[in-house]
Short mmCIF file of all heavy atoms in Angstrom, two decimals:
data_model
loop_
_atom_site.label_atom_id
_atom_site.label_comp_id
_atom_site.label_asym_id
_atom_site.label_seq_id
_atom_site.Cartn_x
_atom_site.Cartn_y
_atom_site.Cartn_z
N GLY O 216 -3.50 -8.15 -12.34
CA GLY O 216 -4.83 -7.84 -12.83
C GLY O 216 -4.80 -6.88 -14.00
O GLY O 216 -5.55 -7.03 -14.97
N ALA O 217 -3.92 -5.88 -13.93
CA ALA O 217 -3.80 -4.92 -15.03
C ALA O 217 -3.31 -5.62 -16.28
O ALA O 217 -3.80 -5.36 -17.39
CB ALA O 217 -2.84 -3.80 -14.64
N ALA O 218 -2.35 -6.53 -16.11
CA ALA O 218 -1.80 -7.25 -17.26
C ALA O 218 -2.85 -8.12 -17.92
O ALA O 218 -2.85 -8.32 -19.14
CB ALA O 218 -0.61 -8.10 -16.84
N LEU O 219 -3.78 -8.61 -17.15
CA LEU O 219 -4.81 -9.51 -17.68
C LEU O 219 -6.10 -8.80 -18.06
O LEU O 219 -7.08 -9.44 -18.40
CB LEU O 219 -5.11 -10.62 -16.65
CG LEU O 219 -3.93 -11.53 -16.30
CD1 LEU O 219 -4.33 -12.56 -15.26
CD2 LEU O 219 -3.38 -12.21 -17.55
N GLY O 220 -6.10 -7.48 -17.94
CA GLY O 220 -7.26 -6.73 -18.41
C GLY O 220 -8.21 -6.24 -17.34
O GLY O 220 -9.26 -5.69 -17.65
N LEU O 221 -7.85 -6.44 -16.05
CA LEU O 221 -8.73 -5.97 -14.98
C LEU O 221 -8.89 -4.45 -15.03
O LEU O 221 -9.98 -3.93 -14.79
CB LEU O 221 -8.16 -6.39 -13.62
CG LEU O 221 -8.99 -6.06 -12.38
CD1 LEU O 221 -10.35 -6.74 -12.45
CD2 LEU O 221 -8.26 -6.47 -11.11
N ALA O 222 -7.80 -3.76 -15.35
CA ALA O 222 -7.87 -2.31 -15.40
C ALA O 222 -8.84 -1.85 -16.48
O ALA O 222 -9.56 -0.87 -16.31
CB ALA O 222 -6.48 -1.72 -15.67
N ALA O 223 -8.86 -2.59 -17.60
CA ALA O 223 -9.80 -2.24 -18.67
C ALA O 223 -11.23 -2.40 -18.19
O ALA O 223 -12.10 -1.59 -18.51
CB ALA O 223 -9.54 -3.12 -19.89
N LEU O 224 -11.48 -3.44 -17.38
CA LEU O 224 -12.82 -3.64 -16.83
C LEU O 224 -13.21 -2.48 -15.93
O LEU O 224 -14.32 -1.94 -16.03
CB LEU O 224 -12.86 -4.95 -16.03
CG LEU O 224 -14.13 -5.20 -15.20
CD1 LEU O 224 -15.35 -5.31 -16.11
CD2 LEU O 224 -13.97 -6.45 -14.34
N PHE O 225 -12.29 -2.06 -15.04
CA PHE O 225 -12.58 -0.94 -14.16
C PHE O 225 -12.81 0.35 -14.96
O PHE O 225 -13.61 1.19 -14.58
CB PHE O 225 -11.44 -0.73 -13.16
CG PHE O 225 -11.39 -1.76 -12.07
CD1 PHE O 225 -10.18 -2.18 -11.56
CD2 PHE O 225 -12.55 -2.32 -11.56
CE1 PHE O 225 -10.13 -3.12 -10.53
CE2 PHE O 225 -12.51 -3.27 -10.55
CZ PHE O 225 -11.29 -3.67 -10.04
N ALA O 226 -12.07 0.49 -16.06
CA ALA O 226 -12.17 1.71 -16.85
C ALA O 226 -13.52 1.82 -17.55
O ALA O 226 -14.04 2.92 -17.73
CB ALA O 226 -11.03 1.77 -17.88
N ILE O 227 -14.09 0.69 -17.94
CA ILE O 227 -15.35 0.74 -18.67
C ILE O 227 -16.56 0.46 -17.78
O ILE O 227 -17.69 0.74 -18.16
CB ILE O 227 -15.35 -0.26 -19.85
CG1 ILE O 227 -15.25 -1.70 -19.34
CG2 ILE O 227 -14.23 0.06 -20.82
CD1 ILE O 227 -15.36 -2.75 -20.43
N SER O 228 -16.31 -0.08 -16.58
CA SER O 228 -17.42 -0.40 -15.68
C SER O 228 -17.30 0.40 -14.40
O SER O 228 -16.50 0.08 -13.53
CB SER O 228 -17.43 -1.91 -15.35
OG SER O 228 -18.42 -2.19 -14.37
N SER O 229 -18.08 1.45 -14.29
CA SER O 229 -18.04 2.28 -13.09
C SER O 229 -18.55 1.51 -11.88
O SER O 229 -18.13 1.76 -10.75
CB SER O 229 -18.89 3.55 -13.30
OG SER O 229 -20.24 3.21 -13.57
N ILE O 230 -19.44 0.56 -12.10
CA ILE O 230 -19.98 -0.22 -10.98
C ILE O 230 -18.89 -1.09 -10.36
O ILE O 230 -18.72 -1.12 -9.14
CB ILE O 230 -21.17 -1.11 -11.45
CG1 ILE O 230 -22.34 -0.22 -11.88
CG2 ILE O 230 -21.60 -2.06 -10.34
CD1 ILE O 230 -23.52 -1.00 -12.42
N ALA O 231 -18.11 -1.79 -11.21
CA ALA O 231 -17.04 -2.64 -10.70
C ALA O 231 -16.01 -1.80 -9.94
O ALA O 231 -15.57 -2.18 -8.85
CB ALA O 231 -16.36 -3.39 -11.86
N PHE O 232 -15.64 -0.67 -10.51
CA PHE O 232 -14.66 0.20 -9.85
C PHE O 232 -15.18 0.68 -8.51
O PHE O 232 -14.49 0.66 -7.50
CB PHE O 232 -14.35 1.41 -10.76
CG PHE O 232 -13.36 2.38 -10.16
CD1 PHE O 232 -12.01 2.22 -10.38
CD2 PHE O 232 -13.78 3.44 -9.38
CE1 PHE O 232 -11.08 3.11 -9.84
CE2 PHE O 232 -12.88 4.33 -8.84
CZ PHE O 232 -11.53 4.16 -9.08
N THR O 233 -16.44 1.12 -8.49
CA THR O 233 -17.03 1.69 -7.27
C THR O 233 -17.15 0.65 -6.17
O THR O 233 -16.85 0.94 -5.00
CB THR O 233 -18.41 2.29 -7.58
OG1 THR O 233 -18.27 3.31 -8.57
CG2 THR O 233 -19.03 2.89 -6.32
N VAL O 234 -17.56 -0.56 -6.53
CA VAL O 234 -17.72 -1.62 -5.53
C VAL O 234 -16.40 -1.94 -4.85
O VAL O 234 -16.30 -1.99 -3.62
CB VAL O 234 -18.32 -2.90 -6.18
CG1 VAL O 234 -18.19 -4.09 -5.23
CG2 VAL O 234 -19.78 -2.68 -6.54
N VAL O 235 -15.34 -2.11 -5.65
CA VAL O 235 -14.03 -2.45 -5.09
C VAL O 235 -13.47 -1.28 -4.29
O VAL O 235 -12.90 -1.44 -3.20
CB VAL O 235 -13.05 -2.87 -6.20
CG1 VAL O 235 -11.67 -3.13 -5.63
CG2 VAL O 235 -13.56 -4.12 -6.90
N LYS O 236 -13.65 -0.05 -4.81
CA LYS O 236 -13.13 1.13 -4.12
C LYS O 236 -13.77 1.29 -2.75
O LYS O 236 -13.08 1.52 -1.74
CB LYS O 236 -13.39 2.39 -4.95
CG LYS O 236 -12.83 3.66 -4.30
CD LYS O 236 -13.04 4.89 -5.16
CE LYS O 236 -14.46 5.38 -5.09
NZ LYS O 236 -14.60 6.73 -5.70
N TYR O 237 -15.09 1.16 -2.67
CA TYR O 237 -15.77 1.33 -1.39
C TYR O 237 -15.48 0.19 -0.43
O TYR O 237 -15.48 0.38 0.79
CB TYR O 237 -17.27 1.51 -1.59
CG TYR O 237 -17.64 2.88 -2.08
CD1 TYR O 237 -18.43 3.07 -3.21
CD2 TYR O 237 -17.18 4.03 -1.43
CE1 TYR O 237 -18.75 4.33 -3.67
CE2 TYR O 237 -17.49 5.29 -1.88
CZ TYR O 237 -18.28 5.44 -3.00
OH TYR O 237 -18.58 6.70 -3.46
N ALA O 238 -15.22 -1.00 -0.98
CA ALA O 238 -14.84 -2.12 -0.11
C ALA O 238 -13.50 -1.82 0.57
O ALA O 238 -13.33 -2.05 1.77
CB ALA O 238 -14.74 -3.41 -0.92
N GLY O 239 -12.56 -1.29 -0.20
CA GLY O 239 -11.27 -0.92 0.37
C GLY O 239 -11.39 0.21 1.38
O GLY O 239 -10.76 0.20 2.44
N ALA O 240 -12.21 1.22 1.05
CA ALA O 240 -12.42 2.35 1.97
C ALA O 240 -13.05 1.87 3.28
O ALA O 240 -12.64 2.29 4.37
CB ALA O 240 -13.30 3.40 1.30
N ALA O 241 -14.03 0.98 3.17
CA ALA O 241 -14.71 0.47 4.36
C ALA O 241 -13.74 -0.32 5.24
O ALA O 241 -13.80 -0.23 6.47
CB ALA O 241 -15.89 -0.42 3.95
N TYR O 242 -12.82 -1.05 4.62
CA TYR O 242 -11.86 -1.83 5.40
C TYR O 242 -10.90 -0.92 6.15
O TYR O 242 -10.56 -1.18 7.32
CB TYR O 242 -11.09 -2.77 4.48
CG TYR O 242 -10.27 -3.80 5.23
CD1 TYR O 242 -10.91 -4.85 5.90
CD2 TYR O 242 -8.90 -3.72 5.29
CE1 TYR O 242 -10.18 -5.79 6.61
CE2 TYR O 242 -8.15 -4.66 5.99
CZ TYR O 242 -8.80 -5.69 6.64
OH TYR O 242 -8.07 -6.62 7.35
N LEU O 243 -10.47 0.18 5.53
CA LEU O 243 -9.61 1.14 6.20
C LEU O 243 -10.32 1.78 7.39
O LEU O 243 -9.75 1.94 8.47
CB LEU O 243 -9.16 2.23 5.22
CG LEU O 243 -8.02 1.85 4.28
CD1 LEU O 243 -7.89 2.89 3.17
CD2 LEU O 243 -6.71 1.72 5.03
N ILE O 244 -11.57 2.16 7.20
CA ILE O 244 -12.34 2.76 8.29
C ILE O 244 -12.53 1.76 9.42
O ILE O 244 -12.45 2.10 10.60
CB ILE O 244 -13.69 3.27 7.76
CG1 ILE O 244 -13.45 4.45 6.80
CG2 ILE O 244 -14.61 3.71 8.92
CD1 ILE O 244 -14.71 4.92 6.08
N TYR O 245 -12.75 0.50 9.05
CA TYR O 245 -12.88 -0.56 10.06
C TYR O 245 -11.60 -0.67 10.90
O TYR O 245 -11.66 -0.80 12.13
CB TYR O 245 -13.18 -1.89 9.37
CG TYR O 245 -12.89 -3.12 10.20
CD1 TYR O 245 -13.73 -3.50 11.24
CD2 TYR O 245 -11.74 -3.88 9.95
CE1 TYR O 245 -13.44 -4.61 12.02
CE2 TYR O 245 -11.44 -4.99 10.71
CZ TYR O 245 -12.31 -5.36 11.74
OH TYR O 245 -12.01 -6.47 12.50
N LEU O 246 -10.44 -0.59 10.23
CA LEU O 246 -9.17 -0.66 10.96
C LEU O 246 -9.03 0.52 11.92
O LEU O 246 -8.52 0.37 13.04
CB LEU O 246 -7.99 -0.66 9.98
CG LEU O 246 -7.81 -1.91 9.11
CD1 LEU O 246 -6.64 -1.73 8.16
CD2 LEU O 246 -7.61 -3.15 9.96
N GLY O 247 -9.50 1.70 11.49
CA GLY O 247 -9.44 2.88 12.36
C GLY O 247 -10.32 2.73 13.58
O GLY O 247 -9.90 3.03 14.71
N ILE O 248 -11.53 2.25 13.38
CA ILE O 248 -12.46 2.06 14.50
C ILE O 248 -11.92 0.98 15.45
O ILE O 248 -12.01 1.10 16.67
CB ILE O 248 -13.86 1.68 13.97
CG1 ILE O 248 -14.45 2.85 13.19
CG2 ILE O 248 -14.79 1.27 15.12
CD1 ILE O 248 -15.76 2.52 12.50
N LYS O 249 -11.34 -0.06 14.86
CA LYS O 249 -10.77 -1.15 15.67
C LYS O 249 -9.62 -0.63 16.53
O LYS O 249 -9.51 -0.99 17.72
CB LYS O 249 -10.29 -2.26 14.74
CG LYS O 249 -9.81 -3.51 15.46
CD LYS O 249 -9.42 -4.57 14.44
CE LYS O 249 -8.91 -5.83 15.14
NZ LYS O 249 -8.50 -6.87 14.16
N ALA O 250 -8.77 0.24 15.96
CA ALA O 250 -7.66 0.82 16.73
C ALA O 250 -8.18 1.70 17.85
O ALA O 250 -7.63 1.73 18.95
CB ALA O 250 -6.75 1.62 15.80
N LEU O 251 -9.27 2.41 17.59
CA LEU O 251 -9.83 3.33 18.58
C LEU O 251 -10.46 2.57 19.75
O LEU O 251 -10.42 3.02 20.90
CB LEU O 251 -10.87 4.22 17.91
CG LEU O 251 -11.32 5.46 18.67
CD1 LEU O 251 -10.15 6.40 18.91
CD2 LEU O 251 -12.42 6.18 17.88
N ARG O 252 -11.03 1.41 19.46
CA ARG O 252 -11.76 0.67 20.48
C ARG O 252 -10.92 -0.42 21.14
O ARG O 252 -11.42 -1.12 22.02
CB ARG O 252 -13.00 0.02 19.85
CG ARG O 252 -13.98 1.02 19.25
CD ARG O 252 -15.18 0.34 18.67
NE ARG O 252 -15.93 -0.40 19.68
CZ ARG O 252 -17.00 -1.16 19.44
NH1 ARG O 252 -17.44 -1.27 18.20
NH2 ARG O 252 -17.61 -1.78 20.40
N ARG O 253 -9.65 -0.55 20.75
CA ARG O 253 -8.80 -1.60 21.31
C ARG O 253 -8.64 -1.40 22.82
O ARG O 253 -8.38 -0.28 23.27
CB ARG O 253 -7.42 -1.57 20.64
CG ARG O 253 -6.53 -2.75 21.02
CD ARG O 253 -5.22 -2.64 20.27
NE ARG O 253 -5.43 -2.67 18.84
CZ ARG O 253 -4.56 -2.20 17.94
NH1 ARG O 253 -3.45 -1.66 18.34
NH2 ARG O 253 -4.83 -2.27 16.66
N PRO O 254 -8.79 -2.47 23.62
CA PRO O 254 -8.62 -2.34 25.08
C PRO O 254 -7.28 -1.75 25.45
O PRO O 254 -6.29 -1.95 24.75
CB PRO O 254 -8.75 -3.79 25.57
CG PRO O 254 -9.53 -4.49 24.50
CD PRO O 254 -9.14 -3.83 23.21
N ALA O 255 -7.23 -1.01 26.55
CA ALA O 255 -6.02 -0.29 26.97
C ALA O 255 -4.83 -1.23 27.14
O ALA O 255 -3.72 -0.92 26.73
CB ALA O 255 -6.28 0.46 28.27
N GLU O 256 -5.05 -2.40 27.75
CA GLU O 256 -3.92 -3.30 28.01
C GLU O 256 -3.35 -3.84 26.71
O GLU O 256 -2.16 -4.12 26.60
CB GLU O 256 -4.34 -4.45 28.94
CG GLU O 256 -5.42 -5.39 28.38
CD GLU O 256 -6.82 -4.86 28.67
OE1 GLU O 256 -6.93 -3.70 29.10
OE2 GLU O 256 -7.79 -5.63 28.48
N VAL O 257 -4.21 -4.00 25.69
CA VAL O 257 -3.73 -4.47 24.40
C VAL O 257 -2.94 -3.37 23.71
O VAL O 257 -1.91 -3.59 23.10
CB VAL O 257 -4.91 -4.93 23.51
CG1 VAL O 257 -4.42 -5.31 22.11
CG2 VAL O 257 -5.63 -6.10 24.16
N ARG O 258 -3.42 -2.13 23.82
CA ARG O 258 -2.73 -1.00 23.21
C ARG O 258 -1.35 -0.81 23.82
O ARG O 258 -0.37 -0.53 23.14
CB ARG O 258 -3.55 0.28 23.39
CG ARG O 258 -4.84 0.31 22.61
CD ARG O 258 -5.37 1.73 22.55
NE ARG O 258 -5.57 2.31 23.88
CZ ARG O 258 -6.72 2.27 24.54
NH1 ARG O 258 -7.75 1.64 24.02
NH2 ARG O 258 -6.83 2.84 25.72
N ASP O 259 -1.27 -0.96 25.15
CA ASP O 259 0.01 -0.74 25.82
C ASP O 259 1.05 -1.77 25.39
O ASP O 259 2.24 -1.50 25.40
CB ASP O 259 -0.17 -0.82 27.34
CG ASP O 259 -0.99 0.37 27.84
OD1 ASP O 259 -1.08 1.38 27.12
OD2 ASP O 259 -1.53 0.27 28.96
N ALA O 260 0.59 -2.97 25.04
CA ALA O 260 1.51 -4.04 24.64
C ALA O 260 1.72 -4.11 23.14
O ALA O 260 2.48 -4.94 22.65
CB ALA O 260 0.98 -5.40 25.13
N ALA O 261 1.05 -3.22 22.38
CA ALA O 261 1.04 -3.33 20.93
C ALA O 261 2.43 -3.27 20.31
O ALA O 261 2.74 -3.98 19.36
CB ALA O 261 0.18 -2.22 20.32
N LEU O 262 3.32 -2.42 20.86
CA LEU O 262 4.64 -2.26 20.26
C LEU O 262 5.45 -3.54 20.35
O LEU O 262 6.24 -3.85 19.46
CB LEU O 262 5.40 -1.12 20.96
CG LEU O 262 4.97 0.30 20.56
CD1 LEU O 262 5.68 1.30 21.46
CD2 LEU O 262 5.27 0.58 19.11
N GLY O 263 5.25 -4.32 21.40
CA GLY O 263 6.08 -5.49 21.57
C GLY O 263 5.47 -6.78 21.06
O GLY O 263 6.17 -7.76 20.90
N THR O 264 4.17 -6.81 20.80
CA THR O 264 3.50 -8.07 20.46
C THR O 264 2.67 -7.94 19.20
O THR O 264 1.59 -8.49 19.11
CB THR O 264 2.60 -8.51 21.63
OG1 THR O 264 1.61 -7.50 21.88
CG2 THR O 264 3.41 -8.74 22.89
N ALA O 265 3.16 -7.19 18.23
CA ALA O 265 2.41 -7.01 17.00
C ALA O 265 2.22 -8.36 16.29
O ALA O 265 3.15 -9.14 16.15
CB ALA O 265 3.16 -6.05 16.08
N ASP O 266 0.98 -8.64 15.88
CA ASP O 266 0.67 -9.87 15.16
C ASP O 266 1.01 -9.63 13.69
O ASP O 266 0.22 -9.06 12.94
CB ASP O 266 -0.81 -10.19 15.33
CG ASP O 266 -1.19 -11.52 14.69
OD1 ASP O 266 -0.40 -12.05 13.89
OD2 ASP O 266 -2.29 -12.02 14.97
N THR O 267 2.20 -10.06 13.28
CA THR O 267 2.66 -9.75 11.93
C THR O 267 1.82 -10.41 10.85
O THR O 267 1.67 -9.86 9.75
CB THR O 267 4.13 -10.17 11.75
OG1 THR O 267 4.30 -11.53 12.15
CG2 THR O 267 5.04 -9.29 12.61
N ARG O 268 1.25 -11.58 11.14
CA ARG O 268 0.40 -12.23 10.13
C ARG O 268 -0.86 -11.42 9.88
O ARG O 268 -1.28 -11.25 8.72
CB ARG O 268 0.03 -13.65 10.59
CG ARG O 268 1.18 -14.64 10.51
CD ARG O 268 0.78 -16.01 10.97
NE ARG O 268 0.39 -15.99 12.38
CZ ARG O 268 -0.02 -17.06 13.05
NH1 ARG O 268 -0.10 -18.23 12.43
NH2 ARG O 268 -0.32 -16.98 14.32
N ARG O 269 -1.46 -10.91 10.94
CA ARG O 269 -2.67 -10.08 10.77
C ARG O 269 -2.32 -8.77 10.08
O ARG O 269 -3.06 -8.29 9.21
CB ARG O 269 -3.30 -9.81 12.14
CG ARG O 269 -4.52 -8.89 12.07
CD ARG O 269 -5.10 -8.67 13.46
NE ARG O 269 -4.11 -8.13 14.38
CZ ARG O 269 -3.75 -6.85 14.41
NH1 ARG O 269 -4.28 -5.98 13.55
NH2 ARG O 269 -2.86 -6.43 15.29
N ILE O 270 -1.18 -8.18 10.44
CA ILE O 270 -0.78 -6.92 9.84
C ILE O 270 -0.44 -7.12 8.37
O ILE O 270 -0.78 -6.28 7.52
CB ILE O 270 0.43 -6.33 10.60
CG1 ILE O 270 -0.03 -5.90 12.01
CG2 ILE O 270 1.03 -5.15 9.87
CD1 ILE O 270 1.11 -5.55 12.93
N PHE O 271 0.20 -8.23 8.03
CA PHE O 271 0.48 -8.56 6.63
C PHE O 271 -0.83 -8.68 5.86
O PHE O 271 -0.96 -8.14 4.75
CB PHE O 271 1.26 -9.87 6.56
CG PHE O 271 1.45 -10.39 5.16
CD1 PHE O 271 2.51 -9.96 4.38
CD2 PHE O 271 0.56 -11.31 4.62
CE1 PHE O 271 2.68 -10.43 3.09
CE2 PHE O 271 0.72 -11.79 3.33
CZ PHE O 271 1.79 -11.36 2.56
N ARG O 272 -1.80 -9.36 6.45
CA ARG O 272 -3.11 -9.52 5.80
C ARG O 272 -3.78 -8.17 5.59
O ARG O 272 -4.34 -7.90 4.51
CB ARG O 272 -4.01 -10.41 6.66
CG ARG O 272 -5.41 -10.63 6.09
CD ARG O 272 -6.37 -11.00 7.20
NE ARG O 272 -6.54 -9.90 8.15
CZ ARG O 272 -7.04 -10.03 9.36
NH1 ARG O 272 -7.39 -11.23 9.81
NH2 ARG O 272 -7.18 -8.97 10.14
N ASP O 273 -3.73 -7.32 6.60
CA ASP O 273 -4.34 -5.99 6.47
C ASP O 273 -3.69 -5.20 5.34
O ASP O 273 -4.38 -4.57 4.52
CB ASP O 273 -4.21 -5.21 7.79
CG ASP O 273 -5.09 -5.77 8.88
OD1 ASP O 273 -5.99 -6.57 8.57
OD2 ASP O 273 -4.88 -5.41 10.06
N GLY O 274 -2.36 -5.20 5.28
CA GLY O 274 -1.66 -4.48 4.22
C GLY O 274 -2.00 -5.03 2.85
O GLY O 274 -2.20 -4.26 1.89
N PHE O 275 -2.09 -6.34 2.75
CA PHE O 275 -2.44 -6.98 1.48
C PHE O 275 -3.83 -6.55 1.01
O PHE O 275 -4.03 -6.18 -0.15
CB PHE O 275 -2.38 -8.50 1.64
CG PHE O 275 -2.93 -9.26 0.47
CD1 PHE O 275 -2.22 -9.31 -0.72
CD2 PHE O 275 -4.14 -9.92 0.56
CE1 PHE O 275 -2.73 -10.01 -1.81
CE2 PHE O 275 -4.65 -10.63 -0.51
CZ PHE O 275 -3.95 -10.68 -1.70
N LEU O 276 -4.80 -6.59 1.93
CA LEU O 276 -6.17 -6.23 1.56
C LEU O 276 -6.30 -4.75 1.23
O LEU O 276 -7.01 -4.38 0.29
CB LEU O 276 -7.13 -6.61 2.70
CG LEU O 276 -7.34 -8.11 2.91
CD1 LEU O 276 -8.23 -8.35 4.13
CD2 LEU O 276 -7.96 -8.75 1.67
N VAL O 277 -5.63 -3.90 2.00
CA VAL O 277 -5.68 -2.46 1.74
C VAL O 277 -5.17 -2.16 0.34
O VAL O 277 -5.75 -1.36 -0.40
CB VAL O 277 -4.87 -1.69 2.80
CG1 VAL O 277 -4.60 -0.26 2.34
CG2 VAL O 277 -5.62 -1.67 4.13
N ALA O 278 -4.06 -2.80 -0.06
CA ALA O 278 -3.48 -2.56 -1.38
C ALA O 278 -4.31 -3.22 -2.48
O ALA O 278 -4.56 -2.61 -3.53
CB ALA O 278 -2.05 -3.08 -1.43
N LEU O 279 -4.75 -4.44 -2.24
CA LEU O 279 -5.49 -5.18 -3.28
C LEU O 279 -6.84 -4.53 -3.56
O LEU O 279 -7.30 -4.49 -4.71
CB LEU O 279 -5.68 -6.63 -2.85
CG LEU O 279 -6.25 -7.56 -3.92
CD1 LEU O 279 -5.25 -7.74 -5.06
CD2 LEU O 279 -6.60 -8.92 -3.31
N LEU O 280 -7.50 -4.02 -2.51
CA LEU O 280 -8.83 -3.43 -2.68
C LEU O 280 -8.74 -1.96 -3.05
O LEU O 280 -9.55 -1.14 -2.62
CB LEU O 280 -9.65 -3.60 -1.38
CG LEU O 280 -10.00 -5.04 -1.02
CD1 LEU O 280 -10.72 -5.10 0.31
CD2 LEU O 280 -10.85 -5.68 -2.11
N ASN O 281 -7.76 -1.63 -3.85
CA ASN O 281 -7.62 -0.26 -4.37
C ASN O 281 -7.57 -0.34 -5.89
O ASN O 281 -6.50 -0.52 -6.48
CB ASN O 281 -6.35 0.40 -3.82
CG ASN O 281 -6.27 1.87 -4.19
OD1 ASN O 281 -7.08 2.37 -4.97
ND2 ASN O 281 -5.30 2.56 -3.65
N PRO O 282 -8.71 -0.20 -6.56
CA PRO O 282 -8.74 -0.36 -8.02
C PRO O 282 -7.92 0.68 -8.75
O PRO O 282 -7.51 0.48 -9.89
CB PRO O 282 -10.24 -0.23 -8.35
CG PRO O 282 -10.81 0.56 -7.22
CD PRO O 282 -10.03 0.14 -6.01
N LYS O 283 -7.63 1.81 -8.07
CA LYS O 283 -6.83 2.85 -8.72
C LYS O 283 -5.41 2.36 -9.01
O LYS O 283 -4.75 2.85 -9.91
CB LYS O 283 -6.79 4.10 -7.85
CG LYS O 283 -8.11 4.84 -7.80
CD LYS O 283 -8.04 6.09 -6.95
CE LYS O 283 -7.92 5.76 -5.49
NZ LYS O 283 -7.92 6.98 -4.65
N THR O 284 -4.95 1.37 -8.23
CA THR O 284 -3.61 0.83 -8.47
C THR O 284 -3.55 0.11 -9.81
O THR O 284 -2.61 0.27 -10.58
CB THR O 284 -3.21 -0.13 -7.34
OG1 THR O 284 -3.34 0.53 -6.09
CG2 THR O 284 -1.79 -0.60 -7.51
#
Side-chain angles (χ1 to χ4, degrees):
L219 298 179
L221 183 60
L224 171 63
F225 286 146
I227 64 175
S228 174
S229 60
I230 294 177
F232 179 90
T233 301
V234 167
V235 177
K236 182 178 77 169
Y237 284 128
Y242 191 72
L243 280 168
I244 293 172
Y245 161 76
L246 291 178
I248 295 174
K249 186 177 179 182
L251 195 61
R252 299 181 61 184
R253 188 179 300 159
E256 62 274 11
V257 175
R258 292 195 303 267
D259 291 341
L262 283 173
T264 60
D266 184 345
T267 52
R268 287 180 297 180
R269 177 179 56 79
I270 292 170
F271 173 86
R272 179 203 65 197
D273 289 345
F275 171 72
L276 290 176
V277 164
L279 189 67
L280 294 176
N281 187 352
K283 289 181 289 183
T284 306

